[in-house]
Amino acid sequence: MTTIGWIRHGVTDWNMERRAQGQTDIPLNDAGRAQARLVAERLKNEEAWDVVYASDLSRAKETADTIGAALGLPVRVDPRLREISFGTLEGTTPDERVLQFGSAWESMDFGREMPEAAAARGESFVADVLDRHPGERVLIVSHGALIGNTLRRLAPEAEMNEHLGNTSVTIFTFADAKWTCELYNCTKHIGERT
């Protein structure tokens, strides 16, 4: 059985402002760094992990570096773990999008990456992880939309409609060619969900 722990990065100023980050490289803010320390401490005190991977965007990489330091593991970076691209809408809030483009903005293109393309990127990465780390416990630090789209593609029957919280822990196991959700969107380390 291979276990994959998915961690969403800590919070950023743009998260707090509800701005679409996409692949814009926005750093963690102080609250995000505190969240990263809390999830790192949690993971250190739970079952051991074998390897840590991260997106190359700084908000995920810094979260992963904090976790890796606590676990005594180096962080491996893969650009396939980047957030879904929001195209020219990156940096805008929902209200700004409606004001500029009207309520039908979601039906417009703006150079956005399609969710299916992001899911295929994530699935490609997971396939490599399964080849490289059979039977191991692998942590992946990435982004909310990339994680959500990838998991819905891997396990479409699982109930995963809830928005992933910053530094949430989601654990999936792979055995007998089947994915099983063991834990979803848990942020008990920051006192939000159990």
Side-chain angles (χ1 to χ4, degrees):
M1 179 174 70
T2 302
T3 300
I4 296 184
W6 295 88
I7 312 294
R8 184 180 175 209
H9 63 80
V11 74
T12 69
D13 288 343
W14 277 21
N15 285 138
M16 296 177 90
E17 296 166 6
R18 298 183 60 223
R19 293 191 182 282
Q21 292 181 113
Q23 295 186 0
T24 303
D25 198 8
I26 304 302
L28 295 178
N29 61 21
D30 289 341
R33 289 183 186 96
Q35 290 174 335
R37 289 189 297 273
L38 289 169
V39 75
E41 188 64 24
R42 170 188 176 171
L43 294 168
K44 184 174 89 171
N45 292 314
E46 294 180 350
E47 193 171 344
W49 294 91
D50 298 302
V51 63
V52 180
Y53 283 95
S55 158
D56 59 346
L57 296 176
S58 63
R59 58 192 182 268
K61 177 69 167 59
E62 185 177 354
T63 303
D65 285 342
T66 302
I67 292 167
L71 302 181
L73 296 171
V75 175
R76 303 175 192 191
V77 173
D78 194 300
R80 288 177 291 179
L81 294 173
R82 281 184 173 197
E83 181 59 294
I84 191 170
S85 171
F86 220 57
T88 57
L89 294 178
E90 291 185 11
T92 64
T93 67
D95 290 343
E96 289 169 347
R97 293 191 287 276
V98 170
L99 188 63
Q100 279 189 286
F101 308 109
S103 58
W105 71 265
E106 289 187 67
S107 65
M108 300 174 192
D109 185 336
F110 301 103
R112 293 182 292 170
E113 182 178 18
M114 292 295 97
E116 302 79 26
R121 240 186 327 118
E123 185 179 39
S124 164
F125 176 77
V126 169
D128 287 350
V129 164
L130 293 175
D131 285 343
R132 285 186 214 137
H133 305 286
E136 293 186 337
R137 293 176 52 80
V138 179
L139 282 173
I140 299 173
V141 183
S142 188
H143 308 267
L146 186 278
I147 294 169
N149 284 299
T150 299
L151 293 180
R152 281 188 289 279
R153 184 172 179 132
L154 296 174
E157 70 288 344
E159 289 289 323
M160 296 179 287
N161 297 321
E162 193 174 276
H163 177 78
L164 291 170
N166 289 99
T167 68
S168 62
V169 178
T170 297
I171 298 177
F172 271 67
T173 55
F174 185 74
D176 302 320
K178 183 177 184 326
W179 288 101
T180 302
C181 181
E182 305 291 342
L183 183 68
Y184 183 72
N185 196 27
C186 180
T187 53
K188 68 181 182 182
H189 51 279
I190 54 176
E192 292 182 9
R193 280 185 200 87
T194 56

